[in-house]
Amino acid sequence: MPNAQCPNLKFKIKLLFMQQNIQHFIKDLVLIGGGHSHAIALKMFGMNPLPGIIITLITASSDTPYSGMLPGHIAGFYTHDDCHIDLRKLANFAQAQLYIDYVNDIDLKNNRIICANRPDVGFDLLSIDIGSTPATISVPGATKYVIPAKPVGNLLHHWYELVEKISENPQKPLKIGIVGGGAGGVELALSMQGNLQQYHPTNLEIHLFGRDNQLMPGNNPVLGNLLRHTLIERGITVHLGETVCKVALDEDIDSKNVICESGFKLNCDYVFWVTQASAPNWLESTGITTDERGFILVNDYLQSLSHPQIFAAGDIATIKNHPRAKAGVFAVRQGKPLFENLRRSLLGKNLKKYLPQKDYLSLIGTGDGKAIATRGFLTLPPSRLLWQWKDYIDRKFMEKFDNLPKMGMGDRALGIGDWGLNNKEIIQNPTTPNSSLLTPNSLSATHNSSLLTPNSSLSTPNSPCAGCGSKVGGNILNSVLNRIQAQSINCN
């Protein structure tokens, strides 16, 4: 007879046996970054769950901006929620664990991610979609005194502060400098001007700096000329052929001096930096093969050239055979093929090639309820009809994440929750005394427990929690499970 101090011994032994067998085929898929490609892939994993797969999303913020609507938000056409994807809601739908944290490094020898504020996270398969940041390191003073376009949260913080100041005192002189003559810089300048005009400022100046002699170099010259004309028409001063080489603080008037190689100098209250994209510094030490600018080199399957267990998409990735501009349209288009190849890799199937389009339609908002359309050598001037078209496309994209389809609780839980073991009695009767399933990432020995899986709390529609097992490291959990196993043996 079992010892009276060991209740439900047979059930515990059964669970431990299940656990030992489960561990042979559980796989950890970890996604770093909440970019467009990952957002799409997460939704597709939620709609097509895989047995035996634990998904974890590590991201610095609980929401992610949609780049197509961000200029419209700055112009005042969209609210913050209109143009941000709620990653808690999306992770909940995909039954993925969500860790709000920064990544400092990746230990590729042991397949572990080094985070800033939590224990290391192990992975079998890793995908990286962390976007890019404007390059500032090479310009003295830029890192300290400018406001980079990314991370977007920091950009918006300063923008809201600027709007509040000018709304309180429209007569106060305000000079804004924007460095970067590409699409991002142009849209930011037009969007800021469009929003601030509602306060009827009397002493507002906006200056745009571009190092080339044309705006959006590499594109149709007609587009560059049209944008320059539009900016000037809106009262924005354009400085072309000016390379900013230094940003210095003017302590006498508490502002910044933008200094160019030509010797031209301009004093500004705010300096926004929207220059060529660059990769985060921590990637350099990982050993992952990158291009000359530090972006992860991937093959036609969006798979790292040096580490087959790593995939990358969006701005952070450069497809070796098909390099493309760092544009949001490509990140969106890569979402589905990224999901497909992650899924195939997890299932041990052959991967499918992805061929990005060579050119694409670009709709550039002008901050006044109009937009410019361009593709190849065709460019259409600003019109309200084009803005309405752009607005329709962007809202339709965001609706995919606002109105997530209702999935059957049982089907989704069986897909990921019980690792495909078809333990329907546990799912159908979660409040029975024997419903606390012990797993590598979730431990519950109490009765009346509704924790079904490592991600089980995420199967509760309104709960953003990833389960108690996600709050501690794997070593601690393994230690506890081993101790339970030893106690169970001693009860015989």
Side-chain angles (χ1 to χ4, degrees), residues 97 441-442 451 453-458 464-472:
Q97 298 179 130
N441 289 324
S442 83
L451 296 180
T453 75
N455 310 312
S456 57
S457 59
L458 295 178
C465 177
C468 293
S470 69
K471 297 180 176 67
V472 294

Side-chain angles (χ1 to χ4, degrees), residues 356-379:
Q357 62 198 87
K358 291 185 177 180
D359 61 0
Y360 57 94
L361 172 68
S362 180
L363 293 168
I364 303 170
T366 53
D368 58 352
K370 298 179 182 179
I372 294 170
T374 182
R375 181 167 187 169
F377 290 99
L378 175 64
T379 299

